[in-house]
Amino acid sequence: MDEGADEIESALTQLFKAYDLDESGFLSREEFLAIEMRLHYEDGQVYRGESGCAKMTLADLDSSGFLDFQEFRVRTLTAYQEMGMSRQEVLDHMTEQTQKALLERAKMGPRYHAGIRQALRNIFALFDVNGDGCLSPEEWISAQKTVASEVSDDLDEGWIDEAAFQAADTNGDGVLDINEFLEASFAMFEGVKKRTDAILQTLQRIEKVLHQQRMAGRKETAPVTIYVQTPEKPPFHAPSQAWQDEPAEDACENADSWKECGEVALPLNLATAEDVMALLRLHLRLPFDTWVSVFYIGPPREGGAGPRSVTLLRGERPGEGNTTAMLSYLSKPNAELKLFVKNLRKRPSKLVRQPRAFLEERDGLFAQRSGASWGLDWETQLVGEGEKLPPRPMVMQVGETLIIEVPQTDENGEYRYTANAYMDKTDVISKPVNEIIEVKKGKSKKKGGPEPDPLLQLTFVALKEGKCVLFVDVSWEDQEEKLCLTHRLAAPVAKHTIARIGPVEIDVQKSAGKPEKGALQWWNGEKWSGKKGPKKKGKK
């Protein structure tokens, strides 16, 4: 697993989640205006509704009435860029806005409190003893004594009694799903004259007791079957292509793409995703410097229709991510005891992930460009079998640039990519500078069809004589859950969802004579060319 997303991207994600009151993954106009208005009032500013509506309209690129993360991201970064803020100022401001938004949510009541919503989801998972994604009457009554002993006078003991179960079962199917449970809980909280922080403390106490009872006397899960991608080098495809030949709803049909590699009982005291990955590397006899992605098959989706959820294991530090939730789920009788290991790649020992050059650095680096530009594009390097890299070392002169072009989104913005650059010497070659490239619709494309997805060019400027090694990892692994949900897949796709351009070894030499700027030259796998794309294959 990579060391994590860029700080700016991480801060943007947290800010988006703070605005997303109902945790739907989209911001409605009401949600957007509700937070914006409260933040203005909190700062003592007059809020003008028409101004907020205009901001929402400008950000809503597809005019759907909702903002997805990508639309929110573009609008937020554009606003910061227009204000001329530095990278650190942007980080500090987003962190401050996130904290303010979460504080305002807490003031709006338990229904909108992010901590209370998460605590309720955790409690629901602990109530759900057999792991089928619903609460049966037996599970409800079983938890009643524990809750009654903990709520004392803090909450209404009738929160989970027999009458509460019947009232919460709004569709009359005899069980409660997560939405019914949340609605019933919020309805009860709204009738209790307690501060949200006091309600949160009570829920966290209940959660802790339930977890201790669940784990009492147990030290590990039942044996979990481990599956690893079968091909030695699985291909890398865009999300829109990766699922095409995957079987829907029956992972057994895809047995040729996954190799069964024994069973492992996972200790319940594992705290992070890396703890789990370390155990799996030992079991699979992989080198310790191997990065992997791990997916598990979670409980049934809300409503119980279709295959179970395909879930990416996350969490770099204890208390973050979903490692504890996964171990708790795999301890349940109805859990699907499978782990899927994919995206095997070497972890760099000397190269360090570099942040993008931000606003104040960008112009300075671009001003130092004075020579030729050389390009590596992702489709030539990664799609299918991929093409060979330029001969090592790649010789450049001071002032020349290397451009690595990667995708930014797919399916008209439905899925997004992340790209991380790893380098050893940023004094020889600059850290990457972002430049978004809008792709023109081809002549063969029908009029009125969706616009092509934009590309992202990472530009590296040769600064002084010396040598440097770099590579770029392109990933959409965190989008695979959405892809599997959309296309009803019962297992992760067998293709890679992370791929690497490089490593490229660069030898920067002193400029011989006056440098001349020329057209961007693309590597086609065989030579540099003015046309982007792989070399043409000869007829057999």
Side-chain angles (χ1 to χ4, degrees), residues 59-107:
D60 185 15
L61 299 178
D62 60 2
S63 302
S64 64
F66 295 86
L67 296 186
D68 61 17
F69 174 76
Q70 189 61 26
E71 291 172 322
F72 178 83
R73 175 185 181 279
V74 169
R75 180 57 191 163
T76 304
L77 290 181
T78 300
Y80 285 132
Q81 190 168 6
E82 291 171 349
M83 289 187 285
M85 298 175 72
S86 69
R87 178 187 180 86
Q88 191 58 49
E89 287 172 337
V90 169
L91 276 172
D92 292 344
H93 187 262
M94 281 198 289
T95 301
E96 181 184 4
Q97 290 299 99
T98 300
Q99 294 302 320
K100 285 183 177 179
L102 292 175
L103 182 61
E104 290 306 311
R105 286 182 59 164
K107 295 177 182 178

Side-chain angles (χ1 to χ4, degrees), residues 4-16 69 91 94:
D6 183 272
E7 289 176 310
I8 292 287
E9 296 296 327
S10 178
L12 275 167
T13 301
Q14 296 307 314
L15 183 59
F16 180 81
F69 174 76
L91 276 172
M94 281 198 289

Side-chain angles (χ1 to χ4, degrees), residues 282-325:
L282 290 171
H283 172 75
L284 297 170
R285 299 186 179 182
L286 297 173
F288 72 92
D289 59 350
T290 302
W291 269 334
V292 298
S293 301
V294 178
F295 289 82
Y296 67 96
I297 308 302
R301 299 184 172 113
E302 294 177 10
R308 297 183 178 221
S309 57
V310 175
T311 307
L312 174 66
L313 183 63
R314 301 179 176 88
E316 296 180 6
R317 289 180 287 273
E320 294 182 351
N322 56 3
T323 302
T324 300

Side-chain angles (χ1 to χ4, degrees), residues 214-229:
R214 173 69 57 81
M215 300 306 172
R218 302 192 64 170
K219 296 183 178 180
E220 60 186 23
T221 68
V224 179
T225 305
I226 311 302
Y227 295 89
V228 181
Q229 285 168 303

Side-chain angles (χ1 to χ4, degrees), residues 369-525:
R369 297 184 297 181
S370 59
S373 296
W374 312 97
L376 300 174
D377 71 287
W378 76 283
E379 290 187 291
T380 300
Q381 292 297 318
L382 302 179
V383 175
E385 296 180 1
E387 297 291 344
K388 293 181 179 178
L389 290 164
R392 304 178 72 171
M394 177 181 170
V395 178
M396 294 175 60
Q397 295 183 358
V398 174
E400 293 184 344
T401 57
L402 171 66
I403 294 175
I404 298 182
E405 188 176 82
V406 298
Q408 189 177 34
T409 60
D410 186 44
E411 289 269 47
N412 203 29
E414 181 67 24
Y415 303 98
R416 68 180 187 274
Y417 292 84
T418 59
N420 288 310
Y422 293 80
M423 307 170 59
D424 60 351
K425 294 179 180 178
T426 55
D427 58 337
V428 174
I429 296 286
S430 74
K431 63 177 66 173
V433 181
N434 274 15
E435 194 166 7
I436 297 174
I437 305 298
E438 297 295 335
V439 181
K440 294 181 180 180
K441 188 181 295 187
K443 294 181 180 179
S444 60
K445 300 290 185 181
K446 294 182 179 179
K447 291 184 178 181
E451 293 296 322
D453 286 277
L455 297 171
L456 177 68
Q457 288 187 351
L458 303 177
T459 300
F460 303 84
V461 183
L463 302 175
K464 71 175 188 178
E465 296 176 70
K467 294 185 177 181
C468 174
V469 178
L470 64 86
F471 68 80
V472 172
D473 273 355
V474 183
S475 168
W476 56 274
E477 70 164 352
D478 63 338
Q479 304 292 291
E480 196 162 349
E481 297 176 9
K482 183 198 294 187
L483 184 79
C484 292
L485 174 63
T486 301
H487 299 289
R488 302 175 67 84
L489 305 182
V493 296
K495 286 83 172 174
H496 269 336
T497 50
I498 301 178
R500 179 168 295 173
I501 300 176
V504 181
E505 180 183 335
I506 302 173
D507 183 2
V508 180
Q509 300 179 357
K510 186 177 180 180
S511 178
K514 186 178 180 180
E516 294 183 5
K517 287 189 177 181
L520 174 58
Q521 297 290 303
W522 296 96
W523 180 254
N524 66 10

